[in-house]
Amino acid sequence: MLKLNNIEVTYLNVIRVIHGVSMIVPDGQIVALLGGNGAGKSTTLKAISGLLHVEVGKVTDGSIYWDETRIDEKGAEDIGRLGIVQALEGRRIFGHLTAEENLLVGAFNRSNRGQVRDDMDMVYHYFPRLKDLRKNTAGYLSGGEQQMVVIGRAMMAAPKMMMLDEPSLGLAPMLVEEIYEIIKRFNREQKTSVLIVEQNVRVALSIADYGYVLENGRVVLDGSADFLKNNEDVKEFYMGLSATGAKKNYRELKHYKRRKRWL
Amino acid sequence: MHLPAGIRNYTYAQDMAIFRTKTQWVMFGGLIVLLAVVPLLMGNYWLSIFNIIGITIIAAMGLNLLTGYCGQLSIGHAGFIAVGAYTSAILTGQYGVPFIIGMLGGGLIAGLTGVLFGIPSLRVKGFYLAISTIAAQFIIMWVISQWGSVTGGYIGLNVSPAEIFGFQFTSQLSKYYLIMGICVIAVFVAKNLARTRQGRAFVAVRDNDLAAQVMGISLFRYKLLAFFVGCFFAGISGALLAHCYYGFLNPEFFSFKESILYVGMIIIGGLGTTVGPIFGVVFVRLLERLISLELVPFLESTVTALPSGWASGVTPMLFGLVIVLFLILEPRGVAHRWQMFKNSYRLWPFSY
Amino acid sequence: MADLLQYTITGITVGMVYSLIAMGFVLIWKSSGVANLALGQLVLLFSWFTYGMLAQTGLPVWLGLVVVVAFALLLGWIIERFVLRPLIAQPILSLIAVTLGMAYFIEGLCTFIWPWGVDVLPRLFPQDPIRIGTAVVSQEYLWAAGVSLLLFGALSLYFKYSRMGIAMRATADDQMAVQACGIPVTRIFSRSWMFACVMAAVGGILMSSIGGISYGLVETGMKSFSVVILGGLDSFLGAIIAGPIIGLAENLAGGYLTAYTWPGVKEIIPFIIIIIVMFIKPYGLFGESRIERI
Ligand SMILES: Nc1ncnc2c1ncn2[C@@H]1O[C@H](COP(=O)(O)OP(=O)(O)OP(=O)(O)O)[C@@H](O)[C@H]1O
Ligand SMILES: [Mg+2]
């Protein structure tokens, strides 16, 4: 179980972007982290995976626990070894490697070759399309296929918790549904907990058990997926539906008829 | 910027002024007097050390403009210095040109050579540029050592002493005054250039040349200008080196290692400040003399068991070590320490 | 005609050694973005070290070579750990300058330990010349080419199939994503320095077994810069192809131009090529042009 206790994150010693976020990712569950651009979602993920220092950021207050282990002071490798893996925002594949080599990089820290082979088959089982493309250079795959490679690569680490940063970015709606379906199956079958960052609130909540809404570095709302799906504010501000359920008229938005209630 | 207590800028002229307080004027006057009087008390040994320091400062100022302000790394500075040295020596020696003209000619030709090898900087940066200046160093030194009929090649070239209006600078003391005079001018020009429109354009180019270009700063003009000015300083320094220091030229004086040392000097001093290179030069040249004139002979004579010549490796080893350590421990150089010291002095006794 | 063949063979074989050294450079550049300007000095150091191992201690050749490789690995590790690692995320200027400082140090170190400046390595390869058609080529050149080819092969297998090799290529593509996979990039940096040192060592041994050891080896190492510039900084393929081109250009110029220009023309050709490439195709034959921060 992952637990964030009131963490603060500061970049370059001066830019504070997370002001006290607390959240929990229970074992085996899917948790969605929602919020607009610049809310601090990616930053939160990097704080968990230990990647902040790469961008000269730091967890300056609060603590992060993975089960009993405190991890906010650890480096990315140690955290990776604990079974936490992050797929970065924006389809960061290794363009000059083949799809299969990309997957192998994901399994870097595992020494049992037999298991790695099995997991490779498992990934191909979840993403049958990748099996045919495995010898292709990843840089030339389509966006959707690249996203599959990225998720598959995270799966290859045999993680206890997988963190995905906007897996739907730039994909066609059909493909988004397909990928989310696979994430859900992976979660149920492998008992891996998933922390998923999304702008596409509807699809994220369709598979999540629980969700947090982040705004300006603070958690402004959290609750079960069903609760959030039916929350008026979430509906209006993140799903673009007005109170009546009809598609929102953008002209109305200008008049600020409704204020976000949590502000 | 920290100003001394109670001093405010009320006009832009004040803001631009180099000296703001009476104390600063007094200290500056004191420095000039010191520079003028001290040599009278020194023997030739120290005079010659001061002379090489002065000459080196001129070249380092140029490199600092180019690298510290404009961000164009040059690892071929010794090559450009050589161009100035040989040009001036040849102009005065073979064409009977007066020293002053020879020196300026040396600066000019060195500057133009710099522009030529600086052209790639319009398209490439960082390491690529570093490599092309290394290539410049090797090509220049190759031409000088092969073109024996003009430059004397490996045999070397005798250079006449500097002469202005019939006065020959032959004594160390007279050379000292000539060198320090030019050095003070060079420092002032460099300091002023850094504060002008050109200087700000240089910094803009250094920090982000694409953005600078978008803002309407002509990269073509400013990068090449930086190369010209930087190498002009190198050329002047080379001319002085030829006429007032060595009195003789040999390609070995301008080795690639010397170029590295120049980069080391401005790094040790602190990039992009005016005092930085001065600190760096004084530090490096003093250390160099100390090691090669005192330590090496001492080591050679005490440790005789080793094959002769071993101790001459000590100097480069130490310099290499110093450069690496400075980069790791104090990447902003001595000038940064100096600034912190000045600030704490100004704020004293409330130095927090 | 015999001359031409001779120059061609010498040029290509020597060029392959340049390629080898240059690949060490490319490796470090790709994995960590550091330009190793101490390349020539490393070549010198390893050559002298080999000499010291073989001539001064009288070790058998094979054992001496094992020791040299071990030393190269160790030195590569030390350099990465104690010189480059403290400078991670510093401006590229500092990274360039620190390798320059290292270059200075290493050259001094060599003078310090081997002050006599010039010497010959004990013979590593059979020497009797071989006739190829009308040309007579010293066997050492062919051995040098053979060893380089062998090393290319071994390296490409390593990069293609080993876990670490794949991770090293991945690092060249996206350092942050590699870290997100829980891979310690510092280990990859140190691995690439270790390999690069081995390549410099092998290159140095090959060069000095042909031409003896002297401070001229520094320039030989520097010629590898022209190989990386011509081939493209981030391309192994470029390094492999550009090496023989440089070697060929150098030897042909040495053979045919000397009569019309100055005698040392051979030495300067690689540097002239650098300038020409800078003017017409700054990112080399196979390099990716990209915006570089300074
Ligand atoms: N390396 C950095 N240095 C300084 N500030 C940063 C850095 N990375 C992010 N920020 C700032 O932190 C804030 C949160 O950024 P973050 O990337 O976490 O947002 P996000 O919620 O992931 O947004 P998006 O949905 O657009 O990806 C932003 O205001 C951003 O400008
Ligand atoms: Mg984000």
Side-chain angles (χ1 to χ4, degrees):
Chain A
M1 184 168 76
L2 178 82
K3 205 165 167 207
L4 274 66
N5 299 318
N6 204 18
I7 61 160
E8 274 179 9
V9 174
T10 313
Y11 280 116
L12 305 167
N13 290 323
V14 286
I15 312 168
R16 167 108 50 90
V17 295
I18 302 285
H19 318 263
V21 163
S22 300
M23 56 189 276
I24 291 177
V25 183
D27 285 340
Q29 295 214 347
I30 300 182
V31 173
L33 187 55
L34 312 168
N37 287 112
K41 305 175 303 280
S42 303
T43 304
T44 309
L45 290 200
K46 284 179 200 153
I48 298 167
S49 62
L51 283 176
L52 273 182
H53 72 95
V54 183
E55 299 180 343
V56 206
K58 244 181 106 176
V59 177
T60 39
D61 200 9
S63 58
I64 305 176
Y65 281 92
W66 174 248
D67 296 331
E68 303 304 307
T69 327
R70 183 164 176 173
I71 58 171
D72 50 288
E73 317 243 278
K74 287 191 190 299
E77 306 125 57
D78 296 334
I79 294 172
R81 255 181 239 118
L82 288 172
I84 300 177
V85 64
Q86 178 183 3
L88 295 172
E89 188 172 0
R91 277 183 241 139
R92 308 271 287 262
I93 41 114
F94 305 121
H96 292 92
L97 275 57
T98 64
E100 183 155 282
E101 285 168 346
N102 266 274
L103 298 182
L104 282 173
V105 173
F108 183 86
N109 281 323
R110 305 172 58 192
S111 42
N112 187 330
R113 280 170 183 257
Q115 279 177 13
V116 171
R117 273 255 63 96
D118 291 348
D119 282 1
M120 185 89 79
D121 290 337
M122 174 195 77
V123 171
Y124 291 145
H125 160 72
Y126 284 114
F127 298 109
R129 207 180 311 179
L130 287 187
K131 185 159 192 164
D132 306 326
L133 298 169
R134 63 183 193 275
K135 296 277 174 238
N136 290 26
T137 305
Y140 298 128
L141 297 180
S142 78
E145 291 154 358
Q146 290 187 350
Q147 191 62 55
M148 293 177 189
V149 170
V150 169
I151 297 172
R153 194 170 70 198
M155 291 174 171
M156 287 298 289
K160 298 204 180 72
M161 181 176 82
M162 189 160 81
M163 301 194 285
L164 303 173
D165 200 340
E166 301 199 25
S168 71
L169 195 75
L171 301 187
M174 290 281 284
L175 200 59
V176 174
E177 306 251 316
E178 184 187 330
I179 284 183
Y180 268 82
E181 209 41 57
I182 292 167
I183 295 172
K184 176 94 176 170
R185 259 174 60 210
F186 180 74
N187 158 261
R188 292 289 172 256
E189 292 170 14
Q190 312 295 328
K191 308 275 176 272
T192 305
S193 43
V194 178
L195 175 55
I196 200 161
V197 160
E198 255 310 339
Q199 305 260 11
N200 189 337
V201 169
R202 194 184 49 74
V203 67
L205 288 179
S206 74
I207 66 160
D209 300 298
Y210 202 85
Y212 292 84
V213 178
L214 216 57
E215 208 158 275
N216 293 326
R218 291 190 177 82
V219 175
V220 289
L221 191 68
D222 66 306
S224 69
D226 289 329
F227 166 75
L228 290 176
K229 263 185 272 187
N230 296 316
N231 182 290
E232 297 296 323
D233 293 320
V234 173
K235 269 202 223 159
E236 172 153 0
F237 291 100
Y238 291 110
M239 301 207 224
L241 301 171
S242 77
T244 55
K247 267 275 180 250
K248 183 171 62 184
N249 179 347
Y250 280 94
R251 213 177 313 135
E252 280 172 21
L253 192 68
K254 270 201 204 144
H255 300 298
Y256 297 98
K257 274 192 171 161
R258 264 180 66 92
R259 269 177 52 91
K260 289 178 191 169
R261 242 171 259 155
W262 57 69
L263 287 180
Chain B
M1 182 162 51
H2 286 284
L3 290 178
I7 304 294
R8 297 283 175 275
N9 297 322
Y10 295 105
T11 64
Y12 283 112
Q14 277 175 353
D15 188 35
M16 291 298 288
I18 296 181
F19 302 114
R20 295 162 202 280
T21 59
K22 281 219 177 69
T23 331
Q24 280 173 338
W25 274 108
V26 170
M27 275 165 74
F28 174 67
L31 187 71
I32 294 289
V33 172
L34 208 67
L35 281 178
V37 175
V38 162
L40 300 173
L41 313 171
M42 290 189 298
N44 279 347
Y45 178 85
W46 279 101
L47 274 175
S48 103
I49 294 181
F50 266 69
N51 286 350
I52 187 71
I53 287 178
I55 294 173
T56 313
I57 285 176
I58 300 172
M61 281 292 153
L63 184 60
N64 189 43
L65 271 177
L66 184 56
T67 303
Y69 282 100
C70 199
Q72 311 298 306
L73 181 59
S74 163
I75 320 180
H77 216 53
F80 299 117
I81 295 173
V83 171
Y86 275 93
T87 308
S88 177
I90 292 165
L91 282 179
T92 52
Q94 288 164 24
Y95 298 94
V97 170
F99 163 72
I100 290 283
I101 309 284
M103 183 175 75
L104 291 176
L108 191 71
I109 300 293
L112 292 177
T113 317
V115 170
L116 178 69
F117 286 105
I119 291 176
S121 74
L122 299 173
R123 292 175 68 188
V124 298
K125 286 203 276 181
F127 168 72
Y128 284 93
L129 187 60
I131 288 286
S132 77
T133 55
I134 291 180
Q137 157 92 33
F138 279 96
I139 292 174
I140 290 171
M141 291 325 293
W142 181 78
V143 170
I144 289 177
S145 42
Q146 302 279 328
W147 198 4
S149 58
V150 176
T151 62
Y154 290 113
I155 302 161
L157 185 67
N158 277 313
V159 188
S160 57
E163 188 182 321
I164 297 179
F165 302 129
F167 180 81
Q168 286 214 340
F169 294 84
T170 41
S171 73
Q172 288 292 349
L173 191 63
S174 62
K175 288 178 187 172
Y176 171 91
Y177 285 118
L178 178 66
I179 292 169
M180 279 309 153
I182 297 177
C183 180
V184 168
I185 296 173
V187 172
F188 259 86
V189 171
K191 174 100 191 161
N192 270 302
L193 202 70
R195 300 171 332 128
T196 56
R197 187 187 157 74
Q198 276 78 17
R200 286 191 301 274
F202 284 170
V203 174
V205 169
R206 174 190 72 189
D207 290 346
N208 189 335
D209 62 352
L210 269 175
Q213 194 171 21
V214 173
M215 289 190 312
I217 293 174
S218 157
L219 286 191
F220 182 77
R221 192 158 130 219
Y222 285 105
K223 280 188 173 174
L224 295 188
L225 182 68
F227 267 97
F228 180 80
V229 177
C231 295
F232 181 83
F233 276 57
I236 299 288
S237 159
L240 289 173
L241 208 57
H243 294 278
C244 301
Y245 192 74
Y246 289 127
F248 173 78
L249 286 178
N250 186 300
E252 279 182 17
F253 298 156
F254 309 98
S255 66
F256 178 54
K257 284 204 309 205
E258 192 69 12
S259 287
I260 298 182
L261 206 52
Y262 271 97
V263 176
M265 286 184 226
I266 60 170
I267 281 171
I268 290 171
L271 283 173
T273 62
T274 317
V275 281
I278 301 180
F279 283 130
V281 169
V282 172
F283 179 82
V284 166
R285 287 298 187 211
L286 276 184
L287 197 64
E288 186 180 42
R289 294 301 119 144
L290 225 69
I291 297 171
S292 61
L293 296 181
E294 310 287 338
L295 185 65
V296 169
F298 170 75
L299 285 177
E300 297 256 78
S301 61
T302 40
V303 190
T304 45
L306 294 169
S308 68
W310 66 275
S312 57
V314 172
T315 322
M317 262 168 78
L318 277 179
F319 277 133
L321 209 59
V322 165
I323 295 175
V324 171
L325 287 180
F326 254 96
L327 279 164
I328 294 176
L329 303 176
E330 184 57 277
R332 280 175 292 188
V334 182
H336 177 63
R337 293 268 143 189
W338 169 245
Q339 192 65 39
M340 291 199 325
F341 166 76
K342 271 204 312 199
N343 288 344
S344 70
Y345 165 78
R346 281 177 185 161
L347 297 173
W348 192 86
F350 306 108
S351 58
Y352 42 82
Chain C
M1 198 53 217
D3 281 352
L4 181 62
L5 193 61
Q6 176 110 30
Y7 296 141
T8 310
I9 293 173
T10 322
I12 290 179
T13 46
V14 171
M16 284 166 77
V17 181
Y18 294 162
S19 292
L20 191 65
I21 302 172
M23 279 173 68
F25 179 98
V26 175
L27 185 61
I28 293 175
W29 173 265
K30 281 191 77 135
S31 73
S32 61
V34 173
N36 175 18
L37 290 180
L39 208 54
Q41 282 75 10
L42 283 171
V43 169
L44 178 71
L45 176 67
F46 290 122
S47 306
W48 274 119
F49 184 83
T50 314
Y51 167 83
M53 287 312 301
L54 295 179
Q56 288 172 314
T57 64
L59 280 183
V61 171
W62 67 269
L63 188 60
L65 293 183
V66 171
V67 175
V68 172
V69 170
F71 171 68
L73 291 171
L74 178 71
L75 189 69
W77 183 82
I78 290 176
I79 291 175
E80 193 281 330
R81 181 67 192 79
F82 296 105
V83 181
L84 275 310
R85 199 170 302 175
L87 290 175
I88 283 179
Q90 291 286 324
I92 200 166
L93 211 62
S94 309
L95 295 177
I96 291 177
V98 84
T99 61
L100 283 176
M102 219 159 67
Y104 219 89
F105 177 81
I106 294 174
E107 209 169 325
L109 187 71
C110 291
T111 317
F112 187 78
I113 307 180
W114 299 282
W116 52 92
V118 184
D119 221 313
V120 282
L121 269 186
R123 292 293 159 196
L124 301 178
F125 306 114
Q127 274 181 288
D128 2 58
I130 291 186
R131 302 190 141 274
I132 302 176
T134 47
V136 183
V137 184
S138 153
Q139 256 193 56
E140 287 161 320
Y141 286 93
L142 299 179
W143 279 97
V147 172
S148 309
L149 273 182
L150 210 68
L151 223 62
F152 290 152
L155 269 177
S156 11
L157 289 181
Y158 182 84
F159 283 120
K160 186 75 196 141
Y161 295 110
S162 85
R163 196 171 58 137
M164 196 65 180
I166 294 175
M168 285 167 92
R169 280 191 291 143
T171 311
D173 271 353
D174 190 335
Q175 197 167 309
M176 176 126 177
V178 163
Q179 278 171 293
C181 293
I183 300 175
V185 275
T186 47
R187 213 159 91 207
I188 292 190
F189 296 167
S190 85
R191 193 64 65 98
S192 51
W193 273 93
M194 287 158 76
F195 279 13
C197 279
V198 171
M199 288 182 232
V202 175
I205 294 171
L206 295 176
M207 289 309 296
S208 50
S209 79
I210 293 173
I213 309 179
S214 73
Y215 285 83
L217 277 176
V218 172
E219 271 179 56
T220 305
M222 296 216 153
K223 286 178 189 165
S224 303
F225 293 146
S226 66
V227 175
V228 283
I229 292 289
L230 178 62
L233 270 194
D234 42 16
S235 164
F236 287 114
L237 181 67
I240 293 175
I241 292 176
I245 296 180
I246 299 278
L248 206 57
E250 185 185 70
N251 277 284
L252 289 178
Y256 293 112
L257 289 184
T258 307
Y260 307 104
T261 58
W262 294 315
V265 67
K266 183 178 166 189
E267 301 305 314
I268 206 65
I269 289 291
F271 297 104
I272 293 177
I273 291 180
I274 289 181
I275 296 293
I276 295 175
V277 174
M278 287 288 171
F279 272 95
I280 50 183
K281 203 167 185 325
Y283 293 99
L285 297 175
F286 299 94
E288 286 173 37
S289 68
R290 61 171 167 201
I291 297 186
E292 198 190 339
R293 77 196 165 97
I294 182 153

